Amino acid sequence: MTETLPPQQRASLPSRWEPAAVEAELYQRWVDAGYFTADAHSDKPPFTIVIPPPNVTGSLHIGHAFEHTLIDILVRRRRMQGYETLWLPGMDHASIAVHALVERALAAEGTGRREIGREAFVERTWEWKAEHGGAILSQMRRLGDSVDWSRERFTMDEGLSRAVLTMFKRLYQDGLIYRAERMVNWSPDQRTVLSDIEVEYRDVEGELVSIRYGDGENALVVATTRVETMLGDTAVAVHPDDQRYAHLVGTEIELPLVGRKIKVVADEHVDPEFGTGAVKVTPAHDPNDFEIGRRHGLPMPSVMDESGRIQNTGTEFDGMDRFEARVAVREALRAQGRIVEEKRPYLHSVGHSSRGKHEPIEPRLSLQWFVKVEPLAKAAGDAVRDGRVAVHPKSMEPRWFGWVDNMHDWCISRQLWWGHRIPVWYGPNGEVVCVGPDEQPPSGEGWHQDEDVLDTWFSSGLWPFSTLGWPERTPDLAKFYPTSVLVTGYDILFFWVARMMMFGLYAMKDDGPAGAIPFHTIALHGMVRDQHGKKMSKTLGNTVDPTDWMDRYGTDALRFALARVANPGTDAPIGEDAALAARNFGTKLWNATRFALAKGADPDGEIDPAWLTDADRWILDRVGAVVAEADALLEDFQFAKATELLYHFTWDEFCDWYLELAKVQLAEGEQRAATTRAVLGNTLDVLLRLLHPVMPFLTEELWTALTGEQSLVIADWPRLTDQARGVNTRAAERIAAVIKLVTEVRRFRADQGLRPAQPVPARLDGVAAAGLDGQLDAVRALAKLGVPEDGFTPTASVEVGLAGGSVRVELDTSGTIDVAAERARLAKDLAAAEKELAGAEAKLSNPKFTERAPEEVVAGIRARRDTAVADIERIRAGLAALPEA
């Protein structure tokens, strides 16, 4: 650290804070200085957070900015507390998203991936990544993320690819990876399986069509929202206890349009109370029907190809798109007189792809690779149950257990070319060989590798340890694993967090139960919403581009606004007014520091107890209490409460009161002034340290100017030393009395029409009895009350009740106000208050209102009445105090 400069040689601050002029330069200075680079050989205790890897296609949206701000607050604070901090950045290869972008570019060139071949397609994709990928990384710099750029990782870099192959091989050898025909989410547009997180369910208006199967007494009526799938029916199911159909169970019935016979089976999955109590069974195109089919050994013909076209039915519908077939099949059934009823529109939930064209996904029976999750999920649940991993807030634990205790096997294969290719080779005689990273694949005629790639979540599930060098025992892995905290949204608690838990506990099991967990704490936050609490979407037009707010208000304002709404596990509503308020807060802090510097504030100055005033003792006690409270809140991930605490302490106590009191003290002799400058500098020093994790750029500029030191990034976090000596209760009481007295006098002056800065002669009685004789100069200065001269004649007075007794303030307002104009103003205000009172009392005297209206509405009207009564009393007192015109 460089030598600290004396106050007179420290940097001066410009009149205004201009974030755009300094943020980029400051950030680069921090990076070049190595402040964010972690040392695996350090003796400091480790604090590790891995960034939830954004997609390589991504750009900074408000959710990223929110999450990154919270993580950076934790990391910067721990760095200042003396931890060896590692915030590890990186990106996810985003198989489907990147695949779609490259295929779109090829289509624009009149070709496609199958025309150019796999090798050329993958090469083209790497070229796309080099040219277009990673825009979000530069945006992270602008946001101020204090990440270790020397350890940046990518899920398809050499080291992480090695980890993926190692994990696949071990799971395969342990029987936890298998290949089977199962029901999956299928995207006809992308022609691949989708993970559960890539499927969004939303209500759509469709149709519910009831169809008669069979004829006469043995006919059955079934209802469906997807008429076209009836071409693949292999049974009709009824409940075993439904006596209406007991005589049909075990018989066969003809499938309309197709002509083949299908069974009638009894299965407890059927709800006899819903519809007719009979349901069509299409095992290859519905997950529930698939389970019925497995239980009863039904055939499972697929009647749709990978693009969503009808196939293999031997009917006129083969070759039709699924939606075209839906209409054609319905009309063909109508022509045969088999449609019993149609409900249209019929609202029902349909899964849609979150990728590409957002088309409805197709449940489809397909041969895929799966992870057997039962033992892995049990371990993930046990780690939370036995306390090795804490879920914060704890109220989210049931959601965690609801997922991991009921997980289905995870489909990990994707029909794409960009990604980690499944390391399995098939031989000419049915051989299957799984190949690890250091093994040679089999060669020779007839051998070929599996065409599919792994789900992106497979590689990102390894993120906490693969990024640290696993499967090798690297110094990074030894120092920084398990990671400390995972900060993420509750919306991906299952999809990403559960996978990291399962893989971490499995891969690192040799380190024992405590060493295998991927993180000690899962800190969950909610979703950022608009100021009305609505979900942000392009359709609603209420999305926020965080770079716009950074352009207009500065990065610190964006971060402060986001932190101020970050309550654990709950959604965060925010509007532009929050960023504006945060910008104004930064301006207030900037101006306060400029004033302090102009007055010679000295954080290294001696605080002489003999010269401490009540105001000094009060602010030192308050800053000590704020340090303790902020620490407790941040340890509990209460970002919003901590930020609100710092906001109000800075604005309401330090700026509005202590700075004003300090102005008086600075004029009271050199010894008193020197102590005041030391208290002022000390308080501001601590305050800037506390605010730094939230507002790193602004506080860096202010703190280095104040202290002359190298950087606030590597400064110590405030500790409870002198400030922890306990609150000086008497000093706090006297300052509280001063604040109340000055506030009431200011309010009275305003009611009298006096300008805030206008001095008015005044006499104060009862000051000594109230214990404020030592505060008289401060009260006069802050309330703009001059010393009365001989012949003083008061024209107005106000009495303020304090804990130690009342203080009566008599003022001579003659010549300072236009009495006639002020009387007219107050008369107008009185009429408005009386009208408000009459309206409130009319409602409260009406039993129909008080008995029927919600309690909170009635309480609101009572509050309006009480406010009106107080206003009338105050205005009448103001009128009575006015001199005769």
Side-chain angles (χ1 to χ4, degrees), residues 113-142:
R113 62 164 165 149
R114 301 196 186 280
E115 285 74 17
I116 67 172
R118 184 172 198 137
E119 185 176 342
F121 179 85
V122 171
E123 183 179 346
R124 180 71 176 265
T125 309
W126 278 107
E127 290 172 359
W128 181 94
K129 184 221 178 239
E131 184 177 354
H132 303 288
I136 194 171
L137 299 180
S138 62
Q139 295 170 324
M140 287 165 53
R141 290 173 175 265
R142 186 170 181 195

Side-chain angles (χ1 to χ4, degrees), residues 22-36 141-142 144 149 697:
V22 298
E23 287 177 351
E25 181 184 345
L26 271 183
Y27 188 85
Q28 193 58 47
R29 188 192 310 166
W30 295 334
V31 173
D32 292 343
Y35 296 154
F36 306 155
R141 290 173 175 265
R142 186 170 181 195
W149 292 109
F697 296 105

Side-chain angles (χ1 to χ4, degrees), residues 304 851 883:
M304 236 176 266
E851 292 172 6

Side-chain angles (χ1 to χ4, degrees), residues 478-499:
K479 177 72 174 179
F480 297 113
Y481 190 91
T483 66
S484 305
V485 183
L486 176 73
V487 179
T488 192
Y490 63 69
D491 55 318
I492 58 172
L493 179 62
F494 165 65
F495 302 107
W496 184 45
V497 182
R499 284 155 169 71

Side-chain angles (χ1 to χ4, degrees), residues 558-843:
L558 170 69
R559 291 171 59 117
F560 193 90
L562 290 169
R564 206 173 174 189
V565 294
N567 291 296
T570 60
D571 289 340
I574 193 169
E576 190 166 352
D577 57 339
L580 176 61
R583 194 271 309 273
N584 293 342
F585 172 74
T587 300
K588 185 82 169 179
L589 182 60
W590 181 268
N591 291 336
T593 307
R594 287 188 73 239
F595 165 80
L597 288 173
K599 297 300 181 181
D602 185 4
D604 301 316
E606 181 182 356
I607 298 179
D608 188 344
W611 288 95
L612 286 174
T613 65
D614 282 344
D616 296 331
R617 294 187 179 93
W618 166 71
I619 199 65
L620 289 173
D621 290 343
R622 283 297 301 133
V623 77
V626 168
V627 169
E629 190 174 351
D631 265 332
L633 290 170
L634 290 173
E635 287 293 327
D636 197 38
F637 307 102
Q638 299 282 354
F639 300 101
K641 290 181 179 179
T643 307
E644 195 73 6
L645 167 72
L646 296 176
Y647 175 91
H648 286 293
F649 172 72
T650 302
W651 196 302
D652 301 343
E653 297 179 85
F654 179 68
C655 293
D656 281 359
W657 290 106
Y658 182 72
L659 287 186
E660 297 303 313
L661 292 164
K663 290 176 183 177
V664 179
Q665 296 175 186
L666 289 167
E668 292 182 351
E670 181 52 35
Q671 191 62 52
R672 172 63 54 78
T675 300
T676 300
R677 286 193 290 269
V679 172
L680 186 58
N682 179 278
T683 303
L684 194 53
D685 175 23
V686 173
L687 179 56
L688 293 172
R689 292 173 195 251
L690 290 173
L691 282 167
H692 174 72
V694 186
M695 308 180 83
F697 296 105
L698 174 68
T699 54
E700 175 83 341
E701 285 284 279
L702 296 179
W703 188 81
T704 52
L706 174 71
T707 64
E709 294 191 17
Q710 182 177 347
S711 176
L712 184 49
V713 175
I714 53 174
D716 289 337
W717 183 253
R719 292 180 175 86
L720 292 177
T721 52
D722 292 342
Q723 290 86 13
R725 63 188 181 282
V727 176
N728 187 315
T729 305
R730 295 298 303 277
E733 289 174 351
R734 286 191 289 267
I735 294 302
V738 168
I739 292 172
K740 181 178 180 182
L741 177 57
V742 172
T743 301
E744 291 300 321
V745 171
R746 286 175 175 173
R747 183 179 292 118
F748 180 75
R749 284 171 54 101
D751 289 342
Q752 295 298 308
L754 297 171
R755 296 187 303 276
Q758 184 176 12
V760 180
R763 180 168 58 215
L764 286 80
D765 293 329
V767 171
L772 298 182
D773 46 346
Q775 312 297 331
L776 185 56
D777 288 346
V779 170
R780 287 190 179 277
L782 270 59
K784 294 294 186 279
L785 302 177
V787 178
E789 298 179 355
D790 293 342
F792 171 77
T793 304
T795 59
S797 65
V798 60
E799 190 162 328
V800 181
L802 303 173
S806 294
V807 173
R808 182 176 180 80
V809 182
E810 299 175 325
L811 306 91
D812 178 8
T813 61
S814 59
T816 61
I817 58 173
D818 183 334
V819 175
E822 184 61 18
R823 191 177 296 281
R825 184 185 71 81
L826 290 175
K828 183 179 179 181
D829 290 347
L830 180 61
E834 288 174 338
K835 182 179 179 180
E836 173 74 3
L837 176 62
E841 288 184 333
K843 286 188 175 182

